[in-house]
Amino acid sequence: VQLQASGGGLVQAGGSLRLSCVVSGGTFSNYAIGWFRQTPEKEHEFVATISWTASAPIYADSVKGRFTISRDDAKNTVYLEMNSLKPEDTALYYCTAGRAATRRFDIYNFWGLGTLVTVSS
């Protein structure tokens, strides 16, 4: 299973970005997909996850109400819509795939290279 994240960039505080994660090489509808982010201070910070049924997405408290995760099984893609961005959201964002939607990075089986999000103040 391969995952490719895209959509990062430079945005001002208060702005929005939409990240995409395209999954290939497996049965996409069987996997929960998680988003994590990495900074020099935090290696694998949980952001959001969505189960293979797309029911009850889970969000980190720091992004709840600002970020929305969704999936399009027809396109093998999961999206992370990020609104009201803050400088502290600056990080390398990457997606993961596994059997369970969990906050724990070590439960996921696959992950890809990330996409950099930079939020300027």
Side-chain angles (χ1 to χ4, degrees), residues 31-55:
Y31 290 102
I33 305 296
W35 282 98
F36 289 79
R37 62 190 183 187
Q38 181 178 358
T39 66
E41 294 77 29
K42 297 180 181 179
E43 186 173 12
H44 303 299
E45 182 185 10
F46 170 75
V47 176
T49 186
I50 189 166
S51 69
W52 61 276
T53 63
S55 63

Side-chain angles (χ1 to χ4, degrees), residues 12 26 33 36 57 74 77 86 88 91 98-99 107-108 111 120:
Q12 288 188 331
I33 305 296
F36 289 79
T77 302
K86 305 175 181 180
E88 51 264 43
R99 295 300 185 182
I107 300 299
Y108 293 91
W111 58 91
S120 63

